[in-house]
Amino acid sequence: GENVEQHPSTLSVQEGDSAVIKCTYSDSASNYFPWYKQELGKRPQLIIDIRSNVGEKKDQRIAVTLNKTAKHFSLHITETQPEDSAVYFCAAITYTGGFKTIFGAGTRLFVKA
Amino acid sequence: EADIYQTPRYLVIGTGKKITLECSQTMGHDKMYWYQQDPGMELHLIHYSYGVNSTEKGDLSSESTVSRIRTEHFPLTLESARPSHTSQYLCASSEYTGNYGYTFGSGTRLTVV
């Protein structure tokens, strides 16, 4: 069946450095790719998303890139801060010809002050 | 404020008891979901619904049941709780068109003793 592979499972960076989390999906019909941030003890919250007709989207220090040919998308966080420490989940959603969401397994990001 | 609400927030219950976890959303979303998540770990889909009187089982085998009699309400029932059901249960909702991202509830942390 379809799946989403997310790497790395754990990422530790120094404050001010950049962090990159990568996801690869298998369903070529997927056309919407959200990223969620889950802080300790809190609910996952949508932080950025990208649709299949766009290659890159940026919102302040976070950006997402999509390569539809390679079925690969990435989350980029620049100038990391301790409050960026959280678990990040990617997802691939197919909303044409049915509706399906598959989440990645999550990446635990530690930003060291 | 439009949001998705889960009760109770924490629940400790004895083995064999029947429990219902409540989930209500005020966003008018058609689609609703239940996920099981050990803290900070992977999200496992238990049940989902695309509208009133529509319910489906997810990928995770579960002894739970759901109902969707009203658009805004999607309760999860465990007929006989077991220690293996100890986990966090997250309810989520999303739209059919436009914004496909999920809004998650704050979760119910269930402990079965």
PDB file of all heavy atoms in Angstrom, chain A residues 32 36 38 41 43-44 46 49 51 87 89 93 95 99 101 103 105 108, chain B residues 3 9 31 33 35 37 40-43 50 98-102 104-106:
ATOM      1  N   TYR A  32      -1.533  17.246  -2.067  1.00  0.00           N
ATOM      2  CA  TYR A  32      -1.494  18.262  -1.017  1.00  0.00           C
ATOM      3  C   TYR A  32      -0.592  17.738   0.083  1.00  0.00           C
ATOM      4  O   TYR A  32      -0.741  16.589   0.521  1.00  0.00           O
ATOM      5  CB  TYR A  32      -2.910  18.528  -0.495  1.00  0.00           C
ATOM      6  CG  TYR A  32      -2.982  19.463   0.680  1.00  0.00           C
ATOM      7  CD1 TYR A  32      -2.765  20.823   0.530  1.00  0.00           C
ATOM      8  CD2 TYR A  32      -3.277  18.986   1.947  1.00  0.00           C
ATOM      9  CE1 TYR A  32      -2.841  21.685   1.617  1.00  0.00           C
ATOM     10  CE2 TYR A  32      -3.353  19.840   3.035  1.00  0.00           C
ATOM     11  CZ  TYR A  32      -3.134  21.185   2.862  1.00  0.00           C
ATOM     12  OH  TYR A  32      -3.201  22.027   3.931  1.00  0.00           O
ATOM     13  N   TYR A  36       3.055  19.362  10.120  1.00  0.00           N
ATOM     14  CA  TYR A  36       2.510  19.645  11.438  1.00  0.00           C
ATOM     15  C   TYR A  36       3.635  19.671  12.464  1.00  0.00           C
ATOM     16  O   TYR A  36       4.583  18.897  12.384  1.00  0.00           O
ATOM     17  CB  TYR A  36       1.486  18.572  11.852  1.00  0.00           C
ATOM     18  CG  TYR A  36       0.269  18.561  10.970  1.00  0.00           C
ATOM     19  CD1 TYR A  36       0.264  17.839   9.785  1.00  0.00           C
ATOM     20  CD2 TYR A  36      -0.856  19.294  11.307  1.00  0.00           C
ATOM     21  CE1 TYR A  36      -0.847  17.839   8.958  1.00  0.00           C
ATOM     22  CE2 TYR A  36      -1.970  19.301  10.483  1.00  0.00           C
ATOM     23  CZ  TYR A  36      -1.954  18.577   9.315  1.00  0.00           C
ATOM     24  OH  TYR A  36      -3.046  18.587   8.499  1.00  0.00           O
ATOM     25  N   GLN A  38       4.260  19.344  16.589  1.00  0.00           N
ATOM     26  CA  GLN A  38       3.648  18.931  17.845  1.00  0.00           C
ATOM     27  C   GLN A  38       4.640  19.157  18.978  1.00  0.00           C
ATOM     28  O   GLN A  38       5.624  18.447  19.129  1.00  0.00           O
ATOM     29  CB  GLN A  38       3.212  17.465  17.804  1.00  0.00           C
ATOM     30  CG  GLN A  38       2.429  17.048  19.043  1.00  0.00           C
ATOM     31  CD  GLN A  38       1.949  15.611  18.970  1.00  0.00           C
ATOM     32  OE1 GLN A  38       2.545  14.768  18.317  1.00  0.00           O
ATOM     33  NE2 GLN A  38       0.852  15.313  19.656  1.00  0.00           N
ATOM     34  N   GLY A  41       3.365  17.523  24.840  1.00  0.00           N
ATOM     35  CA  GLY A  41       2.099  17.593  25.563  1.00  0.00           C
ATOM     36  C   GLY A  41       1.002  18.368  24.863  1.00  0.00           C
ATOM     37  O   GLY A  41      -0.054  18.608  25.448  1.00  0.00           O
ATOM     38  N   ARG A  43      -1.243  19.408  21.000  1.00  0.00           N
ATOM     39  CA  ARG A  43      -1.793  18.814  19.798  1.00  0.00           C
ATOM     40  C   ARG A  43      -0.945  19.164  18.584  1.00  0.00           C
ATOM     41  O   ARG A  43      -0.313  20.223  18.557  1.00  0.00           O
ATOM     42  CB  ARG A  43      -3.213  19.325  19.579  1.00  0.00           C
ATOM     43  CG  ARG A  43      -3.319  20.812  19.311  1.00  0.00           C
ATOM     44  CD  ARG A  43      -4.723  21.214  18.919  1.00  0.00           C
ATOM     45  NE  ARG A  43      -5.417  21.971  19.949  1.00  0.00           N
ATOM     46  CZ  ARG A  43      -6.628  22.490  19.802  1.00  0.00           C
ATOM     47  NH1 ARG A  43      -7.293  22.316  18.689  1.00  0.00           N
ATOM     48  NH2 ARG A  43      -7.189  23.159  20.772  1.00  0.00           N
ATOM     49  N   PRO A  44      -0.943  18.324  17.541  1.00  0.00           N
ATOM     50  CA  PRO A  44      -0.249  18.708  16.302  1.00  0.00           C
ATOM     51  C   PRO A  44      -0.942  19.928  15.689  1.00  0.00           C
ATOM     52  O   PRO A  44      -2.170  20.011  15.675  1.00  0.00           O
ATOM     53  CB  PRO A  44      -0.431  17.480  15.401  1.00  0.00           C
ATOM     54  CG  PRO A  44      -0.746  16.347  16.324  1.00  0.00           C
ATOM     55  CD  PRO A  44      -1.502  16.972  17.464  1.00  0.00           C
ATOM     56  N   LEU A  46      -0.917  22.603  12.226  1.00  0.00           N
ATOM     57  CA  LEU A  46      -0.454  22.849  10.856  1.00  0.00           C
ATOM     58  C   LEU A  46       0.447  24.085  10.832  1.00  0.00           C
ATOM     59  O   LEU A  46       0.080  25.141  11.349  1.00  0.00           O
ATOM     60  CB  LEU A  46      -1.672  23.081   9.955  1.00  0.00           C
ATOM     61  CG  LEU A  46      -1.394  23.368   8.489  1.00  0.00           C
ATOM     62  CD1 LEU A  46      -0.834  22.137   7.798  1.00  0.00           C
ATOM     63  CD2 LEU A  46      -2.680  23.835   7.798  1.00  0.00           C
ATOM     64  N   ASP A  49       1.932  24.315   4.350  1.00  0.00           N
ATOM     65  CA  ASP A  49       1.475  23.287   3.422  1.00  0.00           C
ATOM     66  C   ASP A  49       1.838  23.693   2.005  1.00  0.00           C
ATOM     67  O   ASP A  49       2.179  24.851   1.742  1.00  0.00           O
ATOM     68  CB  ASP A  49      -0.028  23.048   3.550  1.00  0.00           C
ATOM     69  CG  ASP A  49      -0.855  24.323   3.357  1.00  0.00           C
ATOM     70  OD1 ASP A  49      -0.336  25.321   2.816  1.00  0.00           O
ATOM     71  OD2 ASP A  49      -2.026  24.312   3.765  1.00  0.00           O
ATOM     72  N   ARG A  51       0.772  22.707  -2.284  1.00  0.00           N
ATOM     73  CA  ARG A  51      -0.034  21.938  -3.233  1.00  0.00           C
ATOM     74  C   ARG A  51       0.846  21.486  -4.388  1.00  0.00           C
ATOM     75  O   ARG A  51       1.923  22.042  -4.631  1.00  0.00           O
ATOM     76  CB  ARG A  51      -1.203  22.788  -3.723  1.00  0.00           C
ATOM     77  CG  ARG A  51      -2.174  23.108  -2.617  1.00  0.00           C
ATOM     78  CD  ARG A  51      -3.310  23.998  -3.066  1.00  0.00           C
ATOM     79  NE  ARG A  51      -4.057  24.483  -1.895  1.00  0.00           N
ATOM     80  CZ  ARG A  51      -5.127  23.896  -1.409  1.00  0.00           C
ATOM     81  NH1 ARG A  51      -5.596  22.814  -1.988  1.00  0.00           N
ATOM     82  NH2 ARG A  51      -5.741  24.387  -0.350  1.00  0.00           N
ATOM     83  N   VAL A  87       8.139  17.664  17.726  1.00  0.00           N
ATOM     84  CA  VAL A  87       8.045  16.583  16.747  1.00  0.00           C
ATOM     85  C   VAL A  87       7.335  17.131  15.515  1.00  0.00           C
ATOM     86  O   VAL A  87       6.288  17.786  15.640  1.00  0.00           O
ATOM     87  CB  VAL A  87       7.290  15.357  17.302  1.00  0.00           C
ATOM     88  CG1 VAL A  87       7.195  14.260  16.236  1.00  0.00           C
ATOM     89  CG2 VAL A  87       7.990  14.822  18.549  1.00  0.00           C
ATOM     90  N   PHE A  89       5.602  16.305  11.775  1.00  0.00           N
ATOM     91  CA  PHE A  89       5.001  15.261  10.938  1.00  0.00           C
ATOM     92  C   PHE A  89       4.732  15.821   9.545  1.00  0.00           C
ATOM     93  O   PHE A  89       4.168  16.907   9.413  1.00  0.00           O
ATOM     94  CB  PHE A  89       3.662  14.782  11.520  1.00  0.00           C
ATOM     95  CG  PHE A  89       3.776  14.061  12.828  1.00  0.00           C
ATOM     96  CD1 PHE A  89       3.607  14.734  14.027  1.00  0.00           C
ATOM     97  CD2 PHE A  89       4.039  12.700  12.864  1.00  0.00           C
ATOM     98  CE1 PHE A  89       3.706  14.069  15.242  1.00  0.00           C
ATOM     99  CE2 PHE A  89       4.128  12.030  14.072  1.00  0.00           C
ATOM    100  CZ  PHE A  89       3.968  12.723  15.262  1.00  0.00           C
ATOM    101  N   ILE A  93      -1.607  13.999   1.064  1.00  0.00           N
ATOM    102  CA  ILE A  93      -3.059  13.882   0.941  1.00  0.00           C
ATOM    103  C   ILE A  93      -3.445  13.811  -0.528  1.00  0.00           C
ATOM    104  O   ILE A  93      -2.936  14.577  -1.345  1.00  0.00           O
ATOM    105  CB  ILE A  93      -3.762  15.080   1.623  1.00  0.00           C
ATOM    106  CG1 ILE A  93      -3.488  15.047   3.134  1.00  0.00           C
ATOM    107  CG2 ILE A  93      -5.264  15.058   1.347  1.00  0.00           C
ATOM    108  CD1 ILE A  93      -4.097  16.206   3.904  1.00  0.00           C
ATOM    109  N   TYR A  95      -6.770  14.228  -2.791  1.00  0.00           N
ATOM    110  CA  TYR A  95      -8.156  14.675  -2.672  1.00  0.00           C
ATOM    111  C   TYR A  95      -8.897  14.654  -3.990  1.00  0.00           C
ATOM    112  O   TYR A  95      -9.975  15.206  -4.093  1.00  0.00           O
ATOM    113  CB  TYR A  95      -8.241  16.061  -2.021  1.00  0.00           C
ATOM    114  CG  TYR A  95      -7.521  17.177  -2.746  1.00  0.00           C
ATOM    115  CD1 TYR A  95      -8.082  17.824  -3.837  1.00  0.00           C
ATOM    116  CD2 TYR A  95      -6.279  17.590  -2.299  1.00  0.00           C
ATOM    117  CE1 TYR A  95      -7.420  18.851  -4.478  1.00  0.00           C
ATOM    118  CE2 TYR A  95      -5.603  18.618  -2.931  1.00  0.00           C
ATOM    119  CZ  TYR A  95      -6.172  19.242  -4.018  1.00  0.00           C
ATOM    120  OH  TYR A  95      -5.502  20.257  -4.640  1.00  0.00           O
ATOM    121  N   PHE A  99     -10.419  10.364  -1.198  1.00  0.00           N
ATOM    122  CA  PHE A  99      -9.690  11.199  -0.244  1.00  0.00           C
ATOM    123  C   PHE A  99      -8.880  10.294   0.659  1.00  0.00           C
ATOM    124  O   PHE A  99      -9.415   9.384   1.273  1.00  0.00           O
ATOM    125  CB  PHE A  99     -10.663  12.045   0.579  1.00  0.00           C
ATOM    126  CG  PHE A  99      -9.982  13.094   1.396  1.00  0.00           C
ATOM    127  CD1 PHE A  99      -9.797  14.374   0.911  1.00  0.00           C
ATOM    128  CD2 PHE A  99      -9.491  12.783   2.660  1.00  0.00           C
ATOM    129  CE1 PHE A  99      -9.146  15.342   1.666  1.00  0.00           C
ATOM    130  CE2 PHE A  99      -8.839  13.754   3.418  1.00  0.00           C
ATOM    131  CZ  PHE A  99      -8.681  15.024   2.915  1.00  0.00           C
ATOM    132  N   THR A 101      -5.298  10.316   3.408  1.00  0.00           N
ATOM    133  CA  THR A 101      -4.198  11.004   4.075  1.00  0.00           C
ATOM    134  C   THR A 101      -3.247   9.971   4.646  1.00  0.00           C
ATOM    135  O   THR A 101      -3.677   9.042   5.330  1.00  0.00           O
ATOM    136  CB  THR A 101      -4.719  11.885   5.224  1.00  0.00           C
ATOM    137  OG1 THR A 101      -5.639  12.829   4.711  1.00  0.00           O
ATOM    138  CG2 THR A 101      -3.570  12.609   5.914  1.00  0.00           C
ATOM    139  N   PHE A 103       0.299   9.903   6.978  1.00  0.00           N
ATOM    140  CA  PHE A 103       1.274  10.673   7.750  1.00  0.00           C
ATOM    141  C   PHE A 103       2.631   9.979   7.756  1.00  0.00           C
ATOM    142  O   PHE A 103       2.704   8.738   7.741  1.00  0.00           O
ATOM    143  CB  PHE A 103       0.820  10.818   9.214  1.00  0.00           C
ATOM    144  CG  PHE A 103      -0.215  11.882   9.422  1.00  0.00           C
ATOM    145  CD1 PHE A 103      -1.568  11.569   9.361  1.00  0.00           C
ATOM    146  CD2 PHE A 103       0.161  13.189   9.683  1.00  0.00           C
ATOM    147  CE1 PHE A 103      -2.533  12.553   9.559  1.00  0.00           C
ATOM    148  CE2 PHE A 103      -0.800  14.175   9.884  1.00  0.00           C
ATOM    149  CZ  PHE A 103      -2.139  13.852   9.809  1.00  0.00           C
ATOM    150  N   ALA A 105       6.174   9.167   9.926  1.00  0.00           N
ATOM    151  CA  ALA A 105       6.320   8.672  11.302  1.00  0.00           C
ATOM    152  C   ALA A 105       6.796   9.736  12.275  1.00  0.00           C
ATOM    153  O   ALA A 105       6.808   9.496  13.488  1.00  0.00           O
ATOM    154  CB  ALA A 105       7.275   7.481  11.317  1.00  0.00           C
ATOM    155  N   ARG A 108      11.783  14.040  15.517  1.00  0.00           N
ATOM    156  CA  ARG A 108      11.949  14.769  16.779  1.00  0.00           C
ATOM    157  C   ARG A 108      13.129  15.717  16.621  1.00  0.00           C
ATOM    158  O   ARG A 108      14.265  15.280  16.455  1.00  0.00           O
ATOM    159  CB  ARG A 108      12.178  13.784  17.923  1.00  0.00           C
ATOM    160  CG  ARG A 108      12.056  14.381  19.297  1.00  0.00           C
ATOM    161  CD  ARG A 108      12.201  13.314  20.368  1.00  0.00           C
ATOM    162  NE  ARG A 108      11.170  12.305  20.281  1.00  0.00           N
ATOM    163  CZ  ARG A 108      10.014  12.349  20.925  1.00  0.00           C
ATOM    164  NH1 ARG A 108       9.743  13.365  21.730  1.00  0.00           N
ATOM    165  NH2 ARG A 108       9.118  11.385  20.796  1.00  0.00           N
TER     166      ARG A 108
ATOM    167  N   ASP B   3     -13.349  25.566  16.778  1.00  0.00           N
ATOM    168  CA  ASP B   3     -12.262  24.678  17.174  1.00  0.00           C
ATOM    169  C   ASP B   3     -12.803  23.259  17.291  1.00  0.00           C
ATOM    170  O   ASP B   3     -13.987  23.004  17.023  1.00  0.00           O
ATOM    171  CB  ASP B   3     -11.663  25.123  18.508  1.00  0.00           C
ATOM    172  CG  ASP B   3     -10.225  24.673  18.704  1.00  0.00           C
ATOM    173  OD1 ASP B   3      -9.743  23.804  17.928  1.00  0.00           O
ATOM    174  OD2 ASP B   3      -9.573  25.161  19.642  1.00  0.00           O
ATOM    175  N   ARG B   9      -9.934  15.224  29.208  1.00  0.00           N
ATOM    176  CA  ARG B   9      -8.539  15.466  28.857  1.00  0.00           C
ATOM    177  C   ARG B   9      -7.673  14.303  29.358  1.00  0.00           C
ATOM    178  O   ARG B   9      -6.741  13.885  28.670  1.00  0.00           O
ATOM    179  CB  ARG B   9      -8.085  16.789  29.475  1.00  0.00           C
ATOM    180  CG  ARG B   9      -6.706  17.221  29.044  1.00  0.00           C
ATOM    181  CD  ARG B   9      -6.732  17.806  27.626  1.00  0.00           C
ATOM    182  NE  ARG B   9      -5.392  18.283  27.273  1.00  0.00           N
ATOM    183  CZ  ARG B   9      -4.453  17.498  26.737  1.00  0.00           C
ATOM    184  NH1 ARG B   9      -4.682  16.232  26.499  1.00  0.00           N
ATOM    185  NH2 ARG B   9      -3.260  18.006  26.440  1.00  0.00           N
ATOM    186  N   LYS B  31     -15.357  16.003   7.345  1.00  0.00           N
ATOM    187  CA  LYS B  31     -14.540  14.830   7.645  1.00  0.00           C
ATOM    188  C   LYS B  31     -14.002  14.890   9.067  1.00  0.00           C
ATOM    189  O   LYS B  31     -13.537  15.928   9.528  1.00  0.00           O
ATOM    190  CB  LYS B  31     -13.389  14.720   6.654  1.00  0.00           C
ATOM    191  CG  LYS B  31     -13.881  14.500   5.210  1.00  0.00           C
ATOM    192  CD  LYS B  31     -12.777  14.016   4.310  1.00  0.00           C
ATOM    193  CE  LYS B  31     -11.799  15.102   3.982  1.00  0.00           C
ATOM    194  NZ  LYS B  31     -12.414  16.160   3.157  1.00  0.00           N
ATOM    195  N   TYR B  33     -11.840  12.334  12.202  1.00  0.00           N
ATOM    196  CA  TYR B  33     -10.922  11.206  12.332  1.00  0.00           C
ATOM    197  C   TYR B  33     -10.584  10.960  13.809  1.00  0.00           C
ATOM    198  O   TYR B  33     -10.593  11.890  14.606  1.00  0.00           O
ATOM    199  CB  TYR B  33      -9.588  11.506  11.620  1.00  0.00           C
ATOM    200  CG  TYR B  33      -9.726  12.136  10.261  1.00  0.00           C
ATOM    201  CD1 TYR B  33      -9.880  13.513  10.137  1.00  0.00           C
ATOM    202  CD2 TYR B  33      -9.682  11.365   9.106  1.00  0.00           C
ATOM    203  CE1 TYR B  33     -10.002  14.109   8.888  1.00  0.00           C
ATOM    204  CE2 TYR B  33      -9.799  11.960   7.851  1.00  0.00           C
ATOM    205  CZ  TYR B  33      -9.952  13.333   7.749  1.00  0.00           C
ATOM    206  OH  TYR B  33     -10.075  13.908   6.516  1.00  0.00           O
ATOM    207  N   TYR B  35      -7.285   9.264  15.863  1.00  0.00           N
ATOM    208  CA  TYR B  35      -5.937   8.714  15.813  1.00  0.00           C
ATOM    209  C   TYR B  35      -5.516   8.283  17.212  1.00  0.00           C
ATOM    210  O   TYR B  35      -5.867   8.918  18.204  1.00  0.00           O
ATOM    211  CB  TYR B  35      -4.933   9.749  15.304  1.00  0.00           C
ATOM    212  CG  TYR B  35      -4.991   9.987  13.820  1.00  0.00           C
ATOM    213  CD1 TYR B  35      -5.868  10.920  13.284  1.00  0.00           C
ATOM    214  CD2 TYR B  35      -4.164   9.278  12.944  1.00  0.00           C
ATOM    215  CE1 TYR B  35      -5.923  11.132  11.910  1.00  0.00           C
ATOM    216  CE2 TYR B  35      -4.213   9.487  11.576  1.00  0.00           C
ATOM    217  CZ  TYR B  35      -5.100  10.420  11.072  1.00  0.00           C
ATOM    218  OH  TYR B  35      -5.154  10.626   9.708  1.00  0.00           O
ATOM    219  N   GLN B  37      -2.078   7.787  19.468  1.00  0.00           N
ATOM    220  CA  GLN B  37      -0.693   8.233  19.441  1.00  0.00           C
ATOM    221  C   GLN B  37      -0.080   8.100  20.818  1.00  0.00           C
ATOM    222  O   GLN B  37      -0.543   8.743  21.768  1.00  0.00           O
ATOM    223  CB  GLN B  37      -0.591   9.693  18.981  1.00  0.00           C
ATOM    224  CG  GLN B  37       0.845  10.171  18.867  1.00  0.00           C
ATOM    225  CD  GLN B  37       0.989  11.673  18.767  1.00  0.00           C
ATOM    226  OE1 GLN B  37       0.226  12.419  19.368  1.00  0.00           O
ATOM    227  NE2 GLN B  37       1.965  12.125  17.997  1.00  0.00           N
ATOM    228  N   GLY B  40       4.314  11.836  21.301  1.00  0.00           N
ATOM    229  CA  GLY B  40       5.393  12.200  20.393  1.00  0.00           C
ATOM    230  C   GLY B  40       5.728  11.165  19.351  1.00  0.00           C
ATOM    231  O   GLY B  40       6.687  11.325  18.595  1.00  0.00           O
ATOM    232  N   MET B  41       4.926  10.108  19.300  1.00  0.00           N
ATOM    233  CA  MET B  41       5.230   9.012  18.362  1.00  0.00           C
ATOM    234  C   MET B  41       4.286   9.077  17.158  1.00  0.00           C
ATOM    235  O   MET B  41       3.560  10.034  16.966  1.00  0.00           O
ATOM    236  CB  MET B  41       5.109   7.672  19.084  1.00  0.00           C
ATOM    237  CG  MET B  41       5.999   7.533  20.303  1.00  0.00           C
ATOM    238  SD  MET B  41       7.743   7.647  19.920  1.00  0.00           S
ATOM    239  CE  MET B  41       8.023   6.018  19.224  1.00  0.00           C
ATOM    240  N   GLU B  42       4.341   8.034  16.351  1.00  0.00           N
ATOM    241  CA  GLU B  42       3.592   7.976  15.102  1.00  0.00           C
ATOM    242  C   GLU B  42       2.081   8.062  15.334  1.00  0.00           C
ATOM    243  O   GLU B  42       1.577   7.602  16.372  1.00  0.00           O
ATOM    244  CB  GLU B  42       3.935   6.664  14.403  1.00  0.00           C
ATOM    245  CG  GLU B  42       3.543   6.573  12.959  1.00  0.00           C
ATOM    246  CD  GLU B  42       4.180   5.371  12.275  1.00  0.00           C
ATOM    247  OE1 GLU B  42       5.046   4.715  12.909  1.00  0.00           O
ATOM    248  OE2 GLU B  42       3.805   5.093  11.136  1.00  0.00           O
ATOM    249  N   LEU B  43       1.363   8.637  14.372  1.00  0.00           N
ATOM    250  CA  LEU B  43      -0.098   8.729  14.412  1.00  0.00           C
ATOM    251  C   LEU B  43      -0.696   7.503  13.727  1.00  0.00           C
ATOM    252  O   LEU B  43      -0.358   7.208  12.587  1.00  0.00           O
ATOM    253  CB  LEU B  43      -0.554   9.998  13.687  1.00  0.00           C
ATOM    254  CG  LEU B  43      -0.138  11.314  14.331  1.00  0.00           C
ATOM    255  CD1 LEU B  43      -0.135  12.432  13.300  1.00  0.00           C
ATOM    256  CD2 LEU B  43      -1.088  11.660  15.469  1.00  0.00           C
ATOM    257  N   TYR B  50     -16.692  10.560   6.711  1.00  0.00           N
ATOM    258  CA  TYR B  50     -16.759  11.601   5.695  1.00  0.00           C
ATOM    259  C   TYR B  50     -18.054  12.396   5.784  1.00  0.00           C
ATOM    260  O   TYR B  50     -18.290  13.282   4.960  1.00  0.00           O
ATOM    261  CB  TYR B  50     -16.591  10.996   4.306  1.00  0.00           C
ATOM    262  CG  TYR B  50     -15.178  10.556   4.003  1.00  0.00           C
ATOM    263  CD1 TYR B  50     -14.895   9.766   2.899  1.00  0.00           C
ATOM    264  CD2 TYR B  50     -14.117  10.912   4.829  1.00  0.00           C
ATOM    265  CE1 TYR B  50     -13.597   9.352   2.619  1.00  0.00           C
ATOM    266  CE2 TYR B  50     -12.820  10.503   4.565  1.00  0.00           C
ATOM    267  CZ  TYR B  50     -12.561   9.731   3.466  1.00  0.00           C
ATOM    268  OH  TYR B  50     -11.292   9.321   3.192  1.00  0.00           O
ATOM    269  N   GLY B  98     -11.002  23.080  -0.645  1.00  0.00           N
ATOM    270  CA  GLY B  98     -10.246  24.265  -0.234  1.00  0.00           C
ATOM    271  C   GLY B  98      -9.077  23.911   0.653  1.00  0.00           C
ATOM    272  O   GLY B  98      -8.009  23.533   0.169  1.00  0.00           O
ATOM    273  N   ASN B  99      -9.261  24.026   1.943  1.00  0.00           N
ATOM    274  CA  ASN B  99      -8.191  23.758   2.905  1.00  0.00           C
ATOM    275  C   ASN B  99      -8.311  22.321   3.401  1.00  0.00           C
ATOM    276  O   ASN B  99      -9.246  21.974   4.106  1.00  0.00           O
ATOM    277  CB  ASN B  99      -8.307  24.730   4.079  1.00  0.00           C
ATOM    278  CG  ASN B  99      -7.221  24.500   5.107  1.00  0.00           C
ATOM    279  OD1 ASN B  99      -6.313  23.689   4.910  1.00  0.00           O
ATOM    280  ND2 ASN B  99      -7.316  25.189   6.221  1.00  0.00           N
ATOM    281  N   TYR B 100      -7.356  21.486   3.019  1.00  0.00           N
ATOM    282  CA  TYR B 100      -7.450  20.066   3.353  1.00  0.00           C
ATOM    283  C   TYR B 100      -6.696  19.709   4.620  1.00  0.00           C
ATOM    284  O   TYR B 100      -6.677  18.556   5.038  1.00  0.00           O
ATOM    285  CB  TYR B 100      -6.908  19.226   2.185  1.00  0.00           C
ATOM    286  CG  TYR B 100      -7.629  19.524   0.895  1.00  0.00           C
ATOM    287  CD1 TYR B 100      -7.090  20.389  -0.046  1.00  0.00           C
ATOM    288  CD2 TYR B 100      -8.869  18.953   0.624  1.00  0.00           C
ATOM    289  CE1 TYR B 100      -7.758  20.681  -1.217  1.00  0.00           C
ATOM    290  CE2 TYR B 100      -9.544  19.235  -0.545  1.00  0.00           C
ATOM    291  CZ  TYR B 100      -8.982  20.090  -1.467  1.00  0.00           C
ATOM    292  OH  TYR B 100      -9.639  20.372  -2.619  1.00  0.00           O
ATOM    293  N   GLY B 101      -6.031  20.697   5.211  1.00  0.00           N
ATOM    294  CA  GLY B 101      -5.260  20.422   6.412  1.00  0.00           C
ATOM    295  C   GLY B 101      -6.147  20.054   7.583  1.00  0.00           C
ATOM    296  O   GLY B 101      -7.288  20.501   7.683  1.00  0.00           O
ATOM    297  N   TYR B 102      -5.628  19.247   8.462  1.00  0.00           N
ATOM    298  CA  TYR B 102      -6.371  18.804   9.632  1.00  0.00           C
ATOM    299  C   TYR B 102      -6.283  19.841  10.750  1.00  0.00           C
ATOM    300  O   TYR B 102      -5.259  20.494  10.933  1.00  0.00           O
ATOM    301  CB  TYR B 102      -5.753  17.515  10.191  1.00  0.00           C
ATOM    302  CG  TYR B 102      -6.025  16.246   9.417  1.00  0.00           C
ATOM    303  CD1 TYR B 102      -6.395  16.264   8.089  1.00  0.00           C
ATOM    304  CD2 TYR B 102      -5.889  15.020  10.048  1.00  0.00           C
ATOM    305  CE1 TYR B 102      -6.621  15.085   7.409  1.00  0.00           C
ATOM    306  CE2 TYR B 102      -6.123  13.834   9.378  1.00  0.00           C
ATOM    307  CZ  TYR B 102      -6.486  13.877   8.060  1.00  0.00           C
ATOM    308  OH  TYR B 102      -6.715  12.708   7.382  1.00  0.00           O
ATOM    309  N   PHE B 104      -6.514  19.395  14.796  1.00  0.00           N
ATOM    310  CA  PHE B 104      -6.535  18.358  15.820  1.00  0.00           C
ATOM    311  C   PHE B 104      -7.111  18.902  17.125  1.00  0.00           C
ATOM    312  O   PHE B 104      -6.959  20.091  17.445  1.00  0.00           O
ATOM    313  CB  PHE B 104      -5.115  17.865  16.113  1.00  0.00           C
ATOM    314  CG  PHE B 104      -4.558  16.944  15.071  1.00  0.00           C
ATOM    315  CD1 PHE B 104      -3.853  17.455  13.993  1.00  0.00           C
ATOM    316  CD2 PHE B 104      -4.726  15.574  15.169  1.00  0.00           C
ATOM    317  CE1 PHE B 104      -3.331  16.609  13.018  1.00  0.00           C
ATOM    318  CE2 PHE B 104      -4.204  14.716  14.211  1.00  0.00           C
ATOM    319  CZ  PHE B 104      -3.508  15.239  13.127  1.00  0.00           C
ATOM    320  N   GLY B 105      -7.771  18.009  17.873  1.00  0.00           N
ATOM    321  CA  GLY B 105      -8.161  18.328  19.231  1.00  0.00           C
ATOM    322  C   GLY B 105      -6.970  18.178  20.157  1.00  0.00           C
ATOM    323  O   GLY B 105      -5.888  17.733  19.738  1.00  0.00           O
ATOM    324  N   SER B 106      -7.165  18.531  21.428  1.00  0.00           N
ATOM    325  CA  SER B 106      -6.073  18.482  22.395  1.00  0.00           C
ATOM    326  C   SER B 106      -5.801  17.083  22.924  1.00  0.00           C
ATOM    327  O   SER B 106      -4.829  16.870  23.626  1.00  0.00           O
ATOM    328  CB  SER B 106      -6.373  19.429  23.559  1.00  0.00           C
ATOM    329  OG  SER B 106      -6.406  20.761  23.090  1.00  0.00           O
TER     330      SER B 106
END
